Amino acid sequence: MSRPCQALSVAISPPSRGCLNLMSDRRSPLHRYAVILTLCILQSTALFAQTPIPNWCRKLPRPEYKTVERVSISDPWFEVYKPAQGVFAIYEPHQAEETISYLIVGEKRALLFDTGMGISDLKKVIAQLTSLPIILLNSHTHNDHVGDNWEFSTIYGMDADFTRQNARGSRLDAQAEITSDQICGVLPKGFDSKAYATRPWKITAYTHDGDRFDLGGRLLEVIATPGHTPDAISLLDRTKGLLLTGDTYYPGPIWLFRPETDLDAYAASIRRLAALAPQVKVIMGAHNIPVASPSVLPRLVTAFDVVRAGKVPPSPDSPGKVLYKVDDISFLMRAPAAH
Ligand SMILES: [Zn+2]
């Protein structure tokens, strides 16, 4: 086994949720393999000693953050913003997922919507933002949204096998998140890369479509939005006009390629969300940027429809995946089967 290509092959393989520009920057697969070969030769002559800064990282900070109020906290791994009254967006800009977890604060309790990567200590950050009891709910149970679940004691889960399976923890997806091309800057002090895994958590109660969480002076409704995963949900604060969409919508390329993704279910879910657009003031997705206009939801439906109708040419991405781009909306999907 030779290892010369290791560092370089990761530089082109896993797609990030980074900005659309990153995708358009990518070259053809043939070109990429030529580059790898060249770089391997360079590396074998020991000329390639440094890890390059990933492209997605060069494009940060995203300009949209200038318009959102920032909240100071002590952990440099996270950045915390306040996109709406009583809502904190907890952003992880040093890892390619650019995951955003949300803390929604009522008068009596607070609801935490996701726990991010589990790379640094989210619970400590939460303690700096509220002293109220925490209810934890996940937008879905992919590893990048449940990393710190294990630290919390009141955890609602969807009544789905996918959720129960993920609650057992896993290691493979977590390890793929910390290769050098996925990290921008430095990992937290004391972080143990070898031991990094999604730790198991205990589901304390199930939640279902239509459930309401009363935080005291603030009501949040669960909207089941399966598609990206079977257990995907959105959260609606009808009074304040806030809709948290998880991975059903976020500004970067929306991942719809994994085996647990159901495209018909996704098409139905985004229609359901688009029907809410007239009542909503702000969309808050789980990656990249914590604010978007509700007008994106009907456009999301149209974009997905034209992609599924075969009217958008795919551009090659990493092996087995293609990117479909419709204006500012894009979907990362399985490559169509060759004929
Ligand atoms: Zn996801």
Side-chain angles (χ1 to χ4, degrees), residues 17 97 139-145 228-229 246-248 250 255 258 260 287:
R17 305 203 202 227
E97 303 281 8
S139 65
H140 63 299
T141 54
H142 275 156
N143 69 293
D144 50 328
H145 301 271
H228 173 73
T229 64
D247 277 8
T248 301
Y250 53 82
W255 286 19
R258 292 184 56 127
E260 61 271 24
H287 294 274

Side-chain angles (χ1 to χ4, degrees), residues 92-112:
E92 299 185 52
H94 301 287
Q95 199 281 335
E97 303 281 8
E98 289 181 76
T99 301
I100 307 173
S101 309
Y102 291 88
L103 179 71
I104 304 133
V105 182
E107 287 159 11
K108 292 190 177 147
R109 52 195 77 84
L111 189 144
L112 179 59

